[in-house]
Amino acid sequence: MTCEISLFVNPAAGRGRGARAAQPAAAALRDAGFRVRTVLGEDAPDALRRAREAVAAGTGALVAVGGDGLVQLALQAVAGTGTPLGVVAVGTGNDFARTVGLPIRSPAAAARLAADALKESRTTAVDLGRVGDRWFGTVLASGFDSRVNDRGNRMSWPPGRFKYDVAMLAELAAFRPLPYRITLDGGRPLEVAATLVAVGNGTSYGGGMRICARAELTDGLFDLTVVGECSRGTLVRVFPRVYRGTHLDHPVVRTFRARRVELAAPDVTGYADGEPLGPLPLTAECVPGALRLLGPPDLR
């Protein structure tokens, strides 16, 4: 094991928390005896290029300091390489860290956990989702939730997460169920009118909404949540239950499990880990053990 660790930092994460978190995270790693090299980029493609160079050069680990967007970028650099990933979650949603039970907005504690795991050569093999050449760790969203993302991303006001609340109200007023074609593991396609379809490698998105609450990161399968055709009133009543995961028991919700999922629907953008993948149709595959994660051993 090399003694050099690459600290992969998004300074803008969490309205500047990424920049502030880098120093205590680096200090904790140095106190544990590791050399720390900070990896920054001028933009996302440049940051990814630099992270991949660090992995290719044999860094002992890539430790991502930021939110889910940076974690997804880090996954593109480490997936399938054997280089372990540590996560110092200081973003807005932090759903990947929530799913795996890592500290949130506690950079020194998260970095110490990563350092201890490295010293003990303790990593956990974690599944990842893949769409084409893009990897994701938590949830692929499509339908109502992705249209909220589309609208929110176009809005410059209000600031922060509030704009997504406004976007949700606007989409709720206009939304109609969509005709989906869902194919699981190459079987017979399911034609269904759905409000949303979520493909979960992990359990949550949107900062703790447990849309795929029964998903496990080590079982080699996706959990699908399909919210069928329903009225606005039903959607308003059911949606708050997503924070507890109890929406899965509602009659309008169906769940499935599969290793390979093909989704098709008109005028829908797929989002994974909160980042746009592109328009449907998309095919997602669950790749068992694609990531070596520094952190808690029990991910159930």
Side-chain angles (χ1 to χ4, degrees), residues 189-271:
L190 172 66
E191 308 277 355
V192 60
T195 300
L196 66 85
V197 177
V199 181
N201 182 56
T203 57
S204 72
Y205 62 7
M209 292 188 286
R210 294 171 54 79
I211 188 69
C212 299
R214 297 170 187 153
E216 298 176 10
L217 283 170
T218 56
D219 64 355
L221 295 169
F222 290 129
D223 276 40
L224 270 74
T225 298
V226 179
V227 179
E229 186 171 6
C230 62
S231 67
R232 294 188 190 92
T234 299
L235 185 59
V236 169
R237 288 192 299 274
V238 172
F239 204 78
R241 294 170 57 176
V242 77
Y243 287 97
R244 302 186 303 276
T246 57
H247 64 292
L248 297 181
D249 299 323
H250 194 280
V252 80
V253 178
R254 300 170 68 184
T255 60
F256 304 87
R257 307 187 83 204
R259 178 165 291 185
R260 178 184 173 93
V261 179
E262 301 170 51
L263 293 180
D267 303 318
V268 176
T269 302
Y271 282 78

Coordinates of all heavy atoms in Angstrom, one line a residue, residues 189-271:
P189 N -41.2 -7.3 -22.2 CA -41.4 -5.9 -21.8 C -42.7 -5.6 -21.0 O -43.7 -6.2 -21.4 CB -41.4 -5.1 -23.1 CG -40.6 -6.0 -24.1 CD -41.0 -7.4 -23.7
L190 N -42.6 -4.8 -20.0 CA -43.8 -4.3 -19.3 C -44.2 -3.0 -19.8 O -43.4 -2.0 -19.7 CB -43.5 -4.3 -17.8 CG -44.5 -3.7 -16.9 CD1 -45.8 -4.6 -16.8 CD2 -44.0 -3.5 -15.5
E191 N -45.4 -2.9 -20.3 CA -45.9 -1.6 -20.8 C -46.8 -1.0 -19.7 O -47.8 -1.7 -19.3 CB -46.8 -1.8 -22.1 CG -46.0 -2.5 -23.2 CD -45.1 -1.6 -24.0 OE1 -45.1 -0.4 -23.8 OE2 -44.4 -2.2 -24.9
V192 N -46.5 0.2 -19.2 CA -47.2 0.7 -18.0 C -47.2 2.2 -18.1 O -46.3 2.8 -18.5 CB -46.5 0.2 -16.7 CG1 -45.1 0.7 -16.6 CG2 -47.3 0.6 -15.5
A193 N -48.4 2.8 -17.6 CA -48.4 4.2 -17.4 C -47.9 4.5 -16.0 O -48.4 3.9 -15.0 CB -49.8 4.7 -17.5
A194 N -46.8 5.3 -15.9 CA -46.2 5.5 -14.6 C -45.9 7.0 -14.4 O -45.6 7.8 -15.3 CB -44.9 4.7 -14.6
T195 N -45.9 7.3 -13.1 CA -45.6 8.7 -12.7 C -44.1 8.8 -12.6 O -43.5 9.8 -13.0 CB -46.2 9.0 -11.3 OG1 -47.6 8.9 -11.4 CG2 -45.8 10.4 -10.8
L196 N -43.4 7.8 -12.1 CA -41.9 7.8 -12.1 C -41.5 6.3 -12.0 O -42.2 5.5 -11.5 CB -41.4 8.6 -11.0 CG -41.6 8.2 -9.5 CD1 -40.5 7.2 -9.0 CD2 -41.5 9.4 -8.6
V197 N -40.2 6.1 -12.5 CA -39.6 4.8 -12.4 C -38.2 5.1 -11.8 O -37.4 5.9 -12.4 CB -39.5 4.1 -13.7 CG1 -38.7 2.8 -13.5 CG2 -40.9 3.8 -14.2
A198 N -37.8 4.5 -10.7 CA -36.5 4.7 -10.1 C -35.8 3.4 -10.1 O -36.4 2.4 -9.6 CB -36.6 5.3 -8.7
V199 N -34.5 3.4 -10.5 CA -33.7 2.2 -10.5 C -32.6 2.4 -9.4 O -31.7 3.2 -9.5 CB -33.0 2.0 -11.9 CG1 -32.2 0.7 -11.9 CG2 -34.1 1.9 -13.0
G200 N -32.7 1.6 -8.3 CA -31.9 1.8 -7.2 C -30.8 0.8 -7.0 O -31.0 -0.4 -6.8
N201 N -29.6 1.3 -7.2 CA -28.4 0.5 -6.7 C -28.3 0.8 -5.2 O -28.1 -0.1 -4.4 CB -27.1 1.0 -7.4 CG -25.9 0.2 -6.9 OD1 -25.9 -1.1 -7.0 ND2 -24.9 0.9 -6.4
G202 N -28.5 2.1 -4.8 CA -28.6 2.4 -3.4 C -30.1 2.8 -3.1 O -31.0 2.6 -3.9
T203 N -30.3 3.3 -1.9 CA -31.6 3.5 -1.4 C -32.3 4.8 -1.7 O -33.5 4.9 -1.9 CB -31.7 3.3 0.2 OG1 -30.8 4.2 0.8 CG2 -31.3 1.8 0.5
S204 N -31.4 5.9 -1.7 CA -32.1 7.2 -1.6 C -31.5 8.2 -2.6 O -30.4 8.0 -3.2 CB -31.9 7.8 -0.2 OG -30.6 8.2 0.0
Y205 N -32.3 9.2 -2.9 CA -31.8 10.4 -3.7 C -32.5 11.6 -3.1 O -33.2 11.6 -2.1 CB -32.2 10.2 -5.1 CG -33.6 10.1 -5.5 CD1 -34.7 10.3 -4.7 CD2 -34.0 9.8 -6.9 CE1 -36.0 10.2 -5.0 CE2 -35.3 9.7 -7.3 CZ -36.3 9.9 -6.3 OH -37.6 9.8 -6.7
G206 N -32.0 12.8 -3.6 CA -32.7 14.1 -3.1 C -32.5 14.4 -1.7 O -33.3 15.1 -1.1
G207 N -31.4 13.9 -1.1 CA -31.1 14.3 0.3 C -31.9 13.5 1.3 O -32.3 14.0 2.3
G208 N -32.0 12.1 1.1 CA -32.7 11.3 2.1 C -34.0 10.8 1.7 O -34.7 10.1 2.5
M209 N -34.5 11.0 0.5 CA -35.7 10.4 0.0 C -35.5 8.9 -0.4 O -34.8 8.6 -1.4 CB -36.3 11.1 -1.2 CG -36.8 12.5 -0.8 SD -37.7 13.4 -2.1 CE -36.3 13.8 -3.2
R210 N -36.0 8.0 0.4 CA -35.7 6.6 0.3 C -36.6 5.9 -0.7 O -37.4 5.0 -0.4 CB -35.8 5.9 1.7 CG -34.8 6.4 2.7 CD -35.1 5.9 4.1 NE -35.2 4.5 4.2 CZ -34.2 3.6 4.2 NH1 -32.9 4.1 4.2 NH2 -34.4 2.3 4.3
I211 N -36.4 6.3 -1.9 CA -37.3 5.9 -3.0 C -37.2 4.4 -3.3 O -38.1 3.7 -3.6 CB -37.0 6.7 -4.3 CG1 -38.0 6.4 -5.4 CG2 -35.5 6.5 -4.8 CD1 -39.4 7.0 -5.1
C212 N -36.0 3.8 -3.1 CA -35.7 2.4 -3.3 C -35.2 1.9 -1.9 O -34.1 1.4 -1.8 CB -34.7 2.1 -4.4 SG -35.3 2.7 -6.0
A213 N -36.1 1.9 -0.9 CA -35.7 1.8 0.5 C -35.1 0.4 0.8 O -34.4 0.2 1.8 CB -36.9 2.0 1.4
R214 N -35.5 -0.6 0.0 CA -35.0 -2.0 0.3 C -33.8 -2.4 -0.5 O -33.3 -3.5 -0.5 CB -36.1 -3.0 0.0 CG -37.4 -2.8 0.9 CD -38.5 -3.6 0.4 NE -39.7 -3.2 1.2 CZ -41.0 -3.4 0.7 NH1 -41.2 -3.8 -0.5 NH2 -42.0 -3.0 1.5
A215 N -33.2 -1.4 -1.3 CA -32.0 -1.7 -2.1 C -30.8 -2.0 -1.2 O -30.7 -1.5 -0.1 CB -31.7 -0.6 -3.0
E216 N -30.0 -3.0 -1.7 CA -28.7 -3.3 -1.0 C -27.6 -3.1 -2.0 O -27.7 -3.5 -3.1 CB -28.8 -4.7 -0.5 CG -29.9 -5.0 0.6 CD -30.0 -6.4 1.0 OE1 -29.1 -7.2 0.6 OE2 -30.9 -6.8 1.7
L217 N -26.5 -2.6 -1.5 CA -25.3 -2.3 -2.3 C -24.4 -3.6 -2.6 O -23.4 -3.4 -3.2 CB -24.5 -1.2 -1.7 CG -25.0 0.2 -1.9 CD1 -24.2 1.2 -1.0 CD2 -25.0 0.6 -3.3
T218 N -24.8 -4.7 -2.0 CA -23.9 -5.8 -2.1 C -24.6 -7.1 -2.6 O -24.1 -8.2 -2.5 CB -23.2 -6.1 -0.8 OG1 -24.3 -6.3 0.2 CG2 -22.3 -5.0 -0.3
D219 N -25.8 -6.9 -3.2 CA -26.5 -8.1 -3.7 C -26.5 -8.4 -5.1 O -27.1 -9.3 -5.6 CB -28.0 -8.0 -3.2 CG -28.8 -6.9 -3.8 OD1 -28.1 -6.1 -4.5 OD2 -30.0 -6.8 -3.5
G220 N -25.8 -7.5 -5.9 CA -25.7 -7.7 -7.4 C -27.0 -7.4 -8.1 O -27.1 -7.8 -9.3
L221 N -28.0 -6.7 -7.5 CA -29.2 -6.5 -8.2 C -29.7 -5.0 -7.9 O -29.4 -4.4 -6.9 CB -30.3 -7.4 -7.6 CG -30.2 -8.9 -7.9 CD1 -31.2 -9.7 -7.1 CD2 -30.3 -9.2 -9.4
F222 N -30.4 -4.5 -8.9 CA -31.1 -3.2 -8.7 C -32.5 -3.5 -8.0 O -33.1 -4.6 -8.2 CB -31.4 -2.6 -10.0 CG -30.3 -2.0 -10.8 CD1 -30.1 -2.3 -12.1 CD2 -29.4 -1.1 -10.2 CE1 -29.0 -1.8 -12.8 CE2 -28.3 -0.6 -10.9 CZ -28.1 -0.9 -12.2
D223 N -32.9 -2.5 -7.3 CA -34.3 -2.5 -6.8 C -35.0 -1.4 -7.6 O -34.6 -0.3 -7.7 CB -34.4 -2.2 -5.4 CG -34.3 -3.4 -4.5 OD1 -33.4 -4.2 -4.8 OD2 -35.0 -3.5 -3.5
L224 N -36.2 -1.8 -8.3 CA -36.9 -0.8 -9.1 C -38.2 -0.4 -8.3 O -38.8 -1.2 -7.7 CB -37.4 -1.4 -10.4 CG -36.5 -1.2 -11.6 CD1 -35.3 -2.2 -11.5 CD2 -37.3 -1.5 -12.9
T225 N -38.4 0.9 -8.3 CA -39.7 1.4 -7.7 C -40.5 2.1 -8.9 O -40.0 3.0 -9.5 CB -39.4 2.4 -6.6 OG1 -38.7 1.8 -5.6 CG2 -40.7 3.0 -6.1
V226 N -41.7 1.5 -9.1 CA -42.5 2.1 -10.2 C -43.8 2.6 -9.5 O -44.6 1.9 -8.9 CB -42.9 1.0 -11.2 CG1 -43.8 1.5 -12.3 CG2 -41.7 0.3 -11.8
V227 N -43.9 4.0 -9.6 CA -45.1 4.6 -9.1 C -46.1 4.8 -10.3 O -45.8 5.4 -11.3 CB -44.8 6.0 -8.5 CG1 -46.1 6.7 -8.0 CG2 -43.8 5.9 -7.4
G228 N -47.2 4.1 -10.2 CA -48.1 4.0 -11.3 C -48.9 5.2 -11.5 O -48.7 6.3 -11.0
E229 N -49.9 5.1 -12.4 CA -50.8 6.2 -12.7 C -51.6 6.6 -11.5 O -52.2 5.7 -10.8 CB -51.7 5.8 -13.9 CG -52.6 6.9 -14.4 CD -53.3 6.5 -15.6 OE1 -53.3 5.4 -16.0 OE2 -54.0 7.4 -16.2
C230 N -51.5 7.8 -11.1 CA -52.3 8.3 -9.9 C -52.6 9.8 -10.1 O -52.0 10.5 -10.9 CB -51.4 8.1 -8.7 SG -49.9 8.9 -8.6
S231 N -53.6 10.2 -9.3 CA -54.0 11.6 -9.3 C -52.9 12.4 -8.6 O -52.1 12.0 -7.8 CB -55.3 11.7 -8.6 OG -55.2 11.5 -7.2
R232 N -53.0 13.8 -8.8 CA -52.1 14.7 -8.1 C -52.3 14.5 -6.6 O -51.4 14.6 -5.8 CB -52.4 16.1 -8.5 CG -52.1 16.4 -10.0 CD -52.2 17.9 -10.2 NE -52.1 18.2 -11.7 CZ -53.1 18.3 -12.5 NH1 -54.3 18.1 -12.0 NH2 -52.9 18.5 -13.8
G233 N -53.6 14.4 -6.1 CA -53.9 14.3 -4.7 C -53.2 13.1 -4.1 O -52.6 13.1 -3.0
T234 N -53.2 11.9 -4.8 CA -52.6 10.7 -4.3 C -51.1 10.9 -4.3 O -50.4 10.5 -3.3 CB -52.9 9.5 -5.2 OG1 -54.3 9.3 -5.2 CG2 -52.2 8.3 -4.8
L235 N -50.5 11.5 -5.3 CA -49.1 11.8 -5.3 C -48.6 12.7 -4.2 O -47.6 12.4 -3.5 CB -48.7 12.4 -6.7 CG -47.2 12.6 -6.9 CD1 -46.4 11.3 -6.8 CD2 -46.9 13.3 -8.2
V236 N -49.4 13.7 -3.9 CA -49.1 14.6 -2.8 C -49.2 13.9 -1.4 O -48.4 14.1 -0.6 CB -50.1 15.8 -2.8 CG1 -50.0 16.6 -1.5 CG2 -49.8 16.7 -4.0
R237 N -50.1 12.9 -1.3 CA -50.2 12.2 -0.1 C -49.1 11.1 0.1 O -48.6 10.9 1.2 CB -51.6 11.5 0.0 CG -52.8 12.5 0.3 CD -54.0 11.7 0.6 NE -54.5 10.8 -0.4 CZ -55.2 11.1 -1.5 NH1 -55.7 12.4 -1.6 NH2 -55.6 10.2 -2.4
V238 N -48.8 10.5 -1.0 CA -47.8 9.4 -1.0 C -46.4 9.9 -0.9 O -45.6 9.3 -0.2 CB -48.0 8.5 -2.2 CG1 -46.9 7.4 -2.2 CG2 -49.3 7.8 -2.1
F239 N -46.1 11.0 -1.6 CA -44.7 11.4 -1.7 C -44.0 11.7 -0.4 O -42.8 11.3 -0.2 CB -44.6 12.6 -2.6 CG -43.2 12.8 -3.3 CD1 -42.9 12.0 -4.4 CD2 -42.3 13.7 -2.8 CE1 -41.7 12.1 -5.0 CE2 -41.0 13.8 -3.3 CZ -40.7 13.0 -4.4
P240 N -44.6 12.3 0.6 CA -43.9 12.5 1.9 C -43.5 11.2 2.6 O -42.5 11.2 3.4 CB -44.9 13.2 2.8 CG -45.8 13.9 1.8 CD -45.9 13.0 0.6
R241 N -44.2 10.1 2.3 CA -43.8 8.8 2.9 C -42.5 8.3 2.4 O -41.9 7.3 3.0 CB -44.9 7.8 2.6 CG -46.2 8.1 3.3 CD -47.4 7.3 2.8 NE -47.1 5.8 3.0 CZ -48.1 4.9 2.8 NH1 -49.3 5.3 2.4 NH2 -47.8 3.6 3.0
V242 N -41.9 8.9 1.3 CA -40.7 8.4 0.7 C -39.5 8.6 1.7 O -38.5 7.9 1.6 CB -40.4 9.1 -0.6 CG1 -39.9 10.5 -0.4 CG2 -39.4 8.3 -1.5
Y243 N -39.6 9.6 2.6 CA -38.5 9.8 3.5 C -38.4 8.7 4.5 O -37.3 8.4 5.1 CB -38.7 11.1 4.3 CG -38.5 12.3 3.4 CD1 -39.5 13.0 2.7 CD2 -37.2 12.8 3.2 CE1 -39.3 14.1 1.9 CE2 -36.9 13.8 2.3 CZ -38.0 14.5 1.7 OH -37.7 15.5 0.9
R244 N -39.5 7.9 4.8 CA -39.4 6.8 5.7 C -39.4 5.4 4.9 O -39.1 4.4 5.5 CB -40.6 6.7 6.6 CG -40.8 8.0 7.4 CD -41.9 7.9 8.4 NE -43.2 7.6 7.8 CZ -44.0 8.5 7.3 NH1 -43.7 9.8 7.3 NH2 -45.2 8.1 6.7
G245 N -39.6 5.5 3.6 CA -39.6 4.3 2.8 C -40.9 3.5 2.9 O -41.0 2.5 2.3
T246 N -41.9 4.1 3.5 CA -43.2 3.4 3.7 C -44.1 3.5 2.4 O -45.1 2.9 2.3 CB -44.0 3.9 4.9 OG1 -44.2 5.3 4.8 CG2 -43.2 3.6 6.2
H247 N -43.7 4.3 1.5 CA -44.4 4.5 0.2 C -44.5 3.1 -0.5 O -45.4 2.9 -1.4 CB -43.8 5.5 -0.7 CG -42.4 5.2 -1.1 ND1 -41.4 5.2 -0.2 CD2 -41.9 4.9 -2.3 CE1 -40.3 4.8 -0.9 NE2 -40.6 4.7 -2.2
L248 N -43.5 2.3 -0.3 CA -43.4 1.0 -1.1 C -44.6 0.1 -0.8 O -44.9 -0.8 -1.6 CB -42.1 0.3 -0.7 CG -40.8 1.0 -1.1 CD1 -39.6 0.1 -0.7 CD2 -40.8 1.3 -2.5
D249 N -45.3 0.3 0.3 CA -46.5 -0.5 0.6 C -47.8 0.1 0.1 O -48.8 -0.6 0.2 CB -46.6 -0.6 2.2 CG -45.4 -1.3 2.8 OD1 -44.9 -2.2 2.2 OD2 -45.0 -0.9 3.9
H250 N -47.7 1.2 -0.6 CA -49.0 1.8 -1.2 C -49.4 1.0 -2.4 O -48.5 0.6 -3.2 CB -48.7 3.3 -1.5 CG -50.0 4.0 -1.8 ND1 -50.6 4.0 -3.0 CD2 -50.7 4.9 -1.0 CE1 -51.7 4.8 -2.9 NE2 -51.8 5.3 -1.7
P251 N -50.7 0.9 -2.6 CA -51.2 0.1 -3.8 C -50.7 0.6 -5.2 O -50.6 -0.1 -6.1 CB -52.7 0.2 -3.7 CG -52.9 0.4 -2.2 CD -51.8 1.3 -1.8
V252 N -50.4 1.9 -5.3 CA -50.0 2.5 -6.5 C -48.6 2.2 -6.9 O -48.1 2.5 -8.0 CB -50.4 4.0 -6.6 CG1 -49.3 4.8 -5.8 CG2 -50.5 4.5 -8.0
V253 N -47.8 1.7 -5.9 CA -46.4 1.5 -6.1 C -46.1 0.0 -6.3 O -46.6 -0.9 -5.6 CB -45.6 1.9 -4.8 CG1 -44.1 1.7 -5.0 CG2 -45.9 3.4 -4.6
R254 N -45.3 -0.3 -7.3 CA -44.9 -1.7 -7.6 C -43.3 -1.7 -7.5 O -42.7 -0.8 -7.8 CB -45.3 -2.2 -9.0 CG -46.8 -2.2 -9.1 CD -47.2 -2.4 -10.6 NE -46.9 -3.8 -11.0 CZ -47.1 -4.2 -12.3 NH1 -47.5 -3.4 -13.2 NH2 -46.8 -5.4 -12.6
T255 N -42.8 -2.9 -7.1 CA -41.3 -3.0 -7.0 C -40.9 -4.3 -7.7 O -41.6 -5.3 -7.8 CB -40.9 -3.1 -5.5 OG1 -41.5 -4.2 -4.9 CG2 -41.3 -1.8 -4.8
F256 N -39.7 -4.2 -8.2 CA -39.1 -5.3 -9.0 C -37.6 -5.4 -8.6 O -37.0 -4.4 -8.1 CB -39.2 -5.1 -10.5 CG -40.6 -4.9 -10.9 CD1 -41.2 -3.6 -11.0 CD2 -41.4 -6.0 -11.4 CE1 -42.5 -3.4 -11.4 CE2 -42.7 -5.8 -11.8 CZ -43.2 -4.5 -11.8
R257 N -37.0 -6.5 -8.9 CA -35.5 -6.6 -8.8 C -35.0 -7.2 -10.1 O -35.6 -8.1 -10.7 CB -35.2 -7.5 -7.6 CG -35.8 -7.1 -6.3 CD -35.3 -7.9 -5.1 NE -34.1 -7.3 -4.6 CZ -33.1 -8.0 -4.0 NH1 -33.3 -9.3 -3.7 NH2 -32.1 -7.4 -3.5
A258 N -33.8 -6.7 -10.5 CA -33.2 -7.1 -11.7 C -31.8 -6.7 -11.8 O -31.4 -5.7 -11.1 CB -34.0 -6.6 -13.0
R259 N -31.0 -7.4 -12.6 CA -29.6 -7.0 -12.8 C -29.5 -6.0 -14.0 O -28.6 -5.2 -14.0 CB -28.7 -8.2 -13.1 CG -27.2 -7.9 -13.3 CD -26.4 -9.1 -13.2 NE -26.3 -9.5 -11.8 CZ -25.5 -10.5 -11.4 NH1 -24.8 -11.2 -12.3 NH2 -25.4 -10.9 -10.1
R260 N -30.3 -6.2 -15.0 CA -30.3 -5.3 -16.2 C -31.7 -4.7 -16.4 O -32.7 -5.5 -16.4 CB -29.8 -6.2 -17.4 CG -29.8 -5.4 -18.7 CD -29.5 -6.3 -19.8 NE -29.6 -5.7 -21.1 CZ -28.6 -5.1 -21.8 NH1 -27.4 -5.1 -21.2 NH2 -28.8 -4.6 -23.0
V261 N -31.7 -3.4 -16.6 CA -33.0 -2.7 -16.8 C -33.0 -1.9 -18.0 O -32.0 -1.0 -18.1 CB -33.3 -1.9 -15.5 CG1 -34.6 -1.1 -15.7 CG2 -33.3 -2.7 -14.3
E262 N -33.9 -2.0 -18.9 CA -34.1 -1.2 -20.0 C -35.3 -0.3 -19.8 O -36.4 -0.8 -19.6 CB -34.2 -2.0 -21.3 CG -33.0 -2.9 -21.6 CD -33.3 -3.9 -22.7 OE1 -33.7 -3.4 -23.8 OE2 -33.1 -5.1 -22.5
L263 N -35.1 1.0 -19.9 CA -36.2 2.0 -19.7 C -36.4 2.8 -21.0 O -35.5 3.3 -21.6 CB -35.9 2.9 -18.6 CG -35.8 2.4 -17.2 CD1 -35.5 3.6 -16.2 CD2 -37.1 1.7 -16.7
A264 N -37.7 2.9 -21.4 CA -38.1 3.8 -22.5 C -39.3 4.5 -22.2 O -40.3 4.0 -21.6 CB -38.3 2.9 -23.8
A265 N -39.3 5.8 -22.5 CA -40.5 6.7 -22.3 C -40.2 8.0 -23.0 O -39.0 8.4 -23.2 CB -40.7 7.0 -20.8
P266 N -41.2 8.6 -23.6 CA -41.0 9.8 -24.4 C -40.7 11.0 -23.5 O -41.3 11.3 -22.5 CB -42.4 10.0 -25.1 CG -43.4 9.4 -24.2 CD -42.7 8.2 -23.5
D267 N -39.8 11.9 -24.0 CA -39.5 13.2 -23.4 C -39.1 13.1 -22.0 O -39.6 13.9 -21.1 CB -40.7 14.1 -23.6 CG -41.1 14.3 -25.1 OD1 -40.2 14.4 -25.9 OD2 -42.3 14.3 -25.3
V268 N -38.3 12.1 -21.6 CA -37.8 11.9 -20.2 C -36.3 11.9 -20.2 O -35.7 11.1 -21.0 CB -38.4 10.7 -19.6 CG1 -37.9 10.5 -18.2 CG2 -39.9 10.7 -19.6
T269 N -35.7 12.7 -19.3 CA -34.3 12.6 -19.1 C -34.0 11.7 -17.9 O -34.7 11.8 -16.9 CB -33.7 14.0 -18.8 OG1 -34.0 14.9 -19.9 CG2 -32.2 14.0 -18.5
G270 N -33.0 10.8 -18.0 CA -32.6 10.0 -16.9 C -31.5 10.8 -16.1 O -30.6 11.4 -16.7
Y271 N -31.6 10.7 -14.8 CA -30.6 11.3 -13.9 C -30.1 10.2 -13.0 O -30.9 9.4 -12.5 CB -31.2 12.4 -13.0 CG -31.5 13.7 -13.7 CD1 -32.5 13.9 -14.5 CD2 -30.6 14.8 -13.4 CE1 -32.7 15.1 -15.1 CE2 -30.8 16.0 -14.0 CZ -31.9 16.2 -14.9 OH -32.1 17.4 -15.5

